Amino acid sequence: MAKKILLCELNVSEGRDEAKIKRITEALTSTPSITIMDVDSDADHNRSVYTWIGEPEDVLAGAVNITRRAVEEIDMTQHHGSHPRQGAVDVVPFVPVRNVEKDEALEISRRYGKFLGGLGVPVYYYEEAATKPSRQNLVDIRKGQYEALAEKMRDEEWRPDEGPFAFVPKSGATVTGVRFPLVAYNVNLRTDDIGVAKEIAKRMRFSSGGLRYCRAIGLALEERKMVQVSMNLTNFEKTPIPVVYDLVKTLADSYGVGIADAELVGPLPLAALEEVVRHSLRVRGFNMSQIIETQLLD
Amino acid sequence: MAKKILLCELNVSEGRDEAKIKRITEALTSTPSITIMDVDSDADHNRSVYTWIGEPEDVLAGAVNITRRAVEEIDMTQHHGSHPRQGAVDVVPFVPVRNVEKDEALEISRRYGKFLGGLGVPVYYYEEAATKPSRQNLVDIRKGQYEALAEKMRDEEWRPDEGPFAFVPKSGATVTGVRFPLVAYNVNLRTDDIGVAKEIAKRMRFSSGGLRYCRAIGLALEERKMVQVSMNLTNFEKTPIPVVYDLVKTLADSYGVGIADAELVGPLPLAALEEVVRHSLRVRGFNMSQIIETQLLD
């Protein structure tokens, strides 16, 4: 039986009170059969981000445990911080990593949403779990932040997907759903001409005619006296990393600019490398099950 | 604590008698905490090849268990088969896959050799475990096969590294040691000119001036009306797959020939892909610990 891996990245609006953070964290660490990848508390943001993986049911249990504690501990009427936020438990994406179909992740996310609704917290589903197009993007749902919630809760447009259709001052509202693993891929160019990076980013990104699952911006790297095409790939199966590299290279060539190097930022599923081998080494039929270590994941 | 993975590929000289094979196999499958990757019995070769992985101590326990049974069951005075062989337990390489240093693998291989010597079987160490240059290659040690052993055992040159310096008719002799994971990489060219494949293979392989850890031959793929540069990379850290690909491509270009596709044959350690990402996507600092699944291997 192939091992399933679901990832949860849970954002809570507390990054300063160490005693509270400790109690919230313990609710997660005491959950059996999950692997915690990262706990990142930021006092300036006044926010903590928890990332863990495991079998879907175990990952859901972790989310339920930490959420119950965070909803008790955190009072949004007292919250200030530099990061946009709307709820005590702010955003909870579930990300299928390995052998988890979208539908299974959606079911987990809905069960989590119903649990949270049952605690009396308004819940919005986003990304793959969105119930209407205006709720696909987190930025749209969180517009106006916590401070706008009292007003929005009087508007039928903002009726929650789960929980009370009412402003809940202590907890605010939570956004949860399913998104695909994001690949953050940055390519650094041997020029300090920011115009070149911006032009290439424009050609790369979906919104201005580029690749379907590519977001891109051009940035200056002041210290290195270079520029960067900074990209997020939202579906690495349909817009593979090596194809993105080749297109950036072709566009850079057309400006007479070379590629210095590149970065892959943050965690990646193993599957994101499958197309790298297929494309770059021309091994069309390559399958990750050839990798010895995957035997220990099955 | 990072999980260690050692691989053992054990070759026994029995591929026909199903009852014997079953009893030998059971000695391996009853070993706890190992993952058996492959069992391949070939009646024509009259040989069975067992491949398993696990923590070094567990892998050694598996080798000891299956060897004790195979030495009991197999009588080399009765053995005939098309594959070169010298012993009931013929060849036993230990291969470091993950977080295992060469020295640790060498120690396992020597403990295995001493165990087998203690059973009264002459043992030769080969590859990284070889005690002199003439014993590095299996082909050199196995020259003349089982039938030559009685004669060789009178020659000081063939004094075994472990076990009796005597011809043991029932068991023959065993070769064991440590080798690095082998990458079998074949590149198919869009031509039926076998001369091109042979010329490229000559430029690629170490023995005629090519890359240090590359063996290569040119082959015809009759059905596809193509030719193939068929390569074994014996150290993928020092002679990485993407560098090999690029050099084959450059050489093929010089003959006006394109690359159709390529193959990676058999199991590969995850580490073999690290340099693919670094080189092909220009992510110089890429490290496999960024891959989410590796969290479950630590």
Side-chain angles (χ1 to χ4, degrees):
Chain A
M1 186 61 190
K3 190 176 280 187
K4 292 177 176 183
I5 305 178
L6 185 67
L7 180 150
C8 182
E9 185 192 288
L10 186 139
N11 297 249
V12 301
S13 294
E14 178 57 70
R16 292 175 187 168
D17 185 328
E18 288 184 16
K20 278 192 183 179
I21 293 171
K22 188 161 177 285
R23 291 192 295 271
I24 293 168
T25 303
E26 278 168 0
L28 184 66
T29 54
S30 66
T31 305
S33 306
I34 59 169
T35 300
I36 298 172
M37 290 174 61
D38 195 43
V39 177
D40 181 29
S41 288
D42 187 308
D44 182 41
H45 289 177
N46 199 5
R47 185 181 185 86
S48 298
V49 183
Y50 297 86
T51 310
W52 68 96
I53 55 174
E55 294 275 338
E57 292 293 332
D58 298 324
V59 166
L60 174 60
V64 163
N65 291 344
I66 189 172
T67 294
R68 190 180 283 120
R69 188 72 55 87
V71 166
E72 280 168 25
E73 296 276 355
I74 300 171
D75 181 357
M76 288 302 289
T77 64
Q78 308 300 315
H79 187 271
H80 302 281
S82 63
H83 195 288
R85 80 286 178 265
Q86 194 176 41
V89 178
D90 194 51
V91 192
V92 187
F94 292 92
V95 183
V97 170
R98 185 179 175 82
N99 296 325
V100 176
E101 295 295 322
K102 189 173 85 170
D103 282 351
E104 186 171 5
L106 282 173
E107 195 222 315
I108 293 288
S109 136
R110 298 237 161 80
R111 282 166 60 195
Y112 174 74
K114 282 183 206 308
F115 156 77
L116 193 47
L119 287 185
V121 180
V123 174
Y124 298 99
Y125 292 125
Y126 84 137
E127 293 269 353
E128 300 294 324
T131 52
K132 46 184 173 177
S134 59
R135 294 188 184 174
Q136 268 167 6
N137 291 323
L138 174 62
V139 174
D140 296 336
I141 303 173
R142 205 163 53 186
K143 202 172 177 183
Q145 300 189 50
Y146 172 78
E147 288 69 17
L149 273 178
E151 182 69 25
K152 281 159 89 175
M153 284 298 177
R154 287 185 215 113
D155 181 354
E156 186 59 33
E157 169 66 20
W158 289 107
R159 177 183 287 277
D161 293 308
E162 308 287 354
F165 186 18
F167 177 48
V168 180
K170 188 186 175 200
S171 301
T174 300
V175 178
T176 185
V178 172
R179 64 166 173 77
F180 294 115
L182 206 72
V183 173
Y185 184 48
N186 303 328
V187 180
N188 302 325
L189 307 180
R190 287 218 181 272
T191 178
D192 60 0
D193 183 347
I194 182 69
V196 171
K198 285 182 185 293
E199 273 301 308
I200 293 176
K202 196 172 89 178
R203 292 278 170 262
M204 291 304 298
R205 67 178 167 249
F206 175 61
S207 63
S208 51
L211 296 168
R212 176 67 186 91
Y213 296 99
C214 181
R215 298 179 200 143
I217 54 171
L219 299 171
L221 301 181
E222 306 287 357
E223 265 186 42
R224 294 186 69 188
K225 296 192 171 68
M226 288 188 193
V227 296
Q228 180 179 85
V229 183
S230 177
M231 293 172 284
N232 277 330
L233 310 180
T234 54
N235 186 327
F236 61 74
E237 283 179 14
K238 294 180 180 168
T239 299
I241 319 173
V243 172
V244 168
Y245 171 78
D246 279 358
L247 186 52
V248 171
K249 184 168 188 337
T250 298
L251 294 167
D253 282 350
S254 80
Y255 286 95
V257 165
I259 288 173
D261 52 20
E263 302 158 7
L264 282 165
V265 184
L268 287 172
L270 189 53
L273 302 190
E274 206 161 62
E275 197 62 26
V276 182
V277 177
R278 287 179 183 158
H279 182 99
S280 304
L281 301 179
R282 306 298 191 258
V283 184
R284 313 293 185 193
F286 183 75
N287 189 291
M288 275 295 166
S289 61
Q290 267 181 264
I291 297 298
I292 296 170
E293 282 90 335
T294 65
Q295 302 264 342
L296 302 179
L297 301 171
D298 288 336
Chain B
M1 183 64 189
K3 191 176 278 188
K4 293 177 175 182
I5 306 179
L6 184 68
L7 178 149
C8 182
E9 185 192 289
L10 187 140
N11 297 248
V12 300
S13 293
E14 178 59 72
R16 292 176 186 166
D17 185 327
E18 288 185 15
K20 279 191 183 181
I21 294 171
K22 186 160 178 284
R23 290 192 296 269
I24 294 168
T25 303
E26 277 169 1
L28 185 66
T29 55
S30 65
T31 305
S33 306
I34 59 169
T35 300
I36 298 172
M37 291 175 60
D38 194 43
V39 177
D40 180 30
S41 288
D42 186 308
D44 182 40
H45 290 174
N46 198 6
R47 186 181 186 86
S48 297
V49 183
Y50 297 87
T51 310
W52 68 96
I53 55 175
E55 294 276 338
E57 292 294 332
D58 298 324
V59 166
L60 174 59
V64 163
N65 291 344
I66 189 172
T67 295
R68 191 180 281 120
R69 188 71 55 89
V71 167
E72 280 167 25
E73 296 275 355
I74 300 172
D75 181 356
M76 287 302 287
T77 65
Q78 308 300 316
H79 186 273
H80 302 280
S82 63
H83 196 288
R85 80 284 179 268
Q86 193 176 42
V89 178
D90 195 50
V91 192
V92 187
F94 292 91
V95 183
V97 170
R98 186 179 174 81
N99 296 326
V100 177
E101 295 296 323
K102 189 174 85 170
D103 282 351
E104 185 172 5
L106 282 173
E107 195 222 316
I108 294 286
S109 133
R110 297 239 162 80
R111 283 166 60 196
Y112 175 73
K114 284 183 207 305
F115 155 77
L116 193 47
L119 286 185
V121 180
V123 173
Y124 297 100
Y125 292 125
Y126 83 137
E127 292 270 352
E128 300 293 323
T131 52
K132 45 184 175 180
S134 60
R135 292 186 185 176
Q136 269 169 6
N137 290 323
L138 174 63
V139 174
D140 297 336
I141 304 173
R142 204 164 53 187
K143 200 171 177 186
Q145 299 190 51
Y146 172 77
E147 287 71 16
L149 274 179
E151 183 68 27
K152 283 159 88 173
M153 284 298 177
R154 286 184 216 114
D155 182 354
E156 187 57 33
E157 168 66 21
W158 290 107
R159 179 182 288 276
D161 293 308
E162 308 287 355
F165 184 19
F167 176 49
V168 180
K170 188 185 176 201
S171 301
T174 300
V175 178
T176 184
V178 171
R179 64 166 174 77
F180 293 116
L182 205 72
V183 173
Y185 184 48
N186 303 327
V187 180
N188 303 326
L189 308 179
R190 287 217 181 272
T191 176
D192 60 0
D193 184 346
I194 182 68
V196 171
K198 284 180 185 294
E199 273 301 309
I200 293 175
K202 196 171 88 178
R203 293 279 170 260
M204 291 303 298
R205 68 179 166 250
F206 175 61
S207 64
S208 52
L211 297 168
R212 175 66 185 91
Y213 295 100
C214 180
R215 297 180 201 144
I217 54 172
L219 299 171
L221 302 180
E222 306 288 356
E223 264 184 43
R224 294 186 69 189
K225 295 192 172 69
M226 288 187 192
V227 296
Q228 179 179 85
V229 183
S230 175
M231 292 171 286
N232 276 330
L233 310 180
T234 54
N235 186 326
F236 60 74
E237 283 178 15
K238 296 182 177 167
T239 299
I241 320 174
V243 173
V244 168
Y245 171 79
D246 279 358
L247 186 52
V248 171
K249 182 166 190 337
T250 298
L251 293 167
D253 282 350
S254 80
Y255 287 94
V257 165
I259 288 173
D261 52 21
E263 304 159 6
L264 282 165
V265 184
L268 286 173
L270 189 53
L273 302 189
E274 207 162 60
E275 198 61 28
V276 182
V277 177
R278 289 180 182 158
H279 181 100
S280 304
L281 302 180
R282 305 300 190 255
V283 183
R284 313 292 185 193
F286 182 75
N287 189 293
M288 275 296 166
S289 61
Q290 267 181 264
I291 296 298
I292 296 170
E293 281 90 337
T294 65
Q295 302 264 343
L296 301 180
L297 300 172
D298 288 337

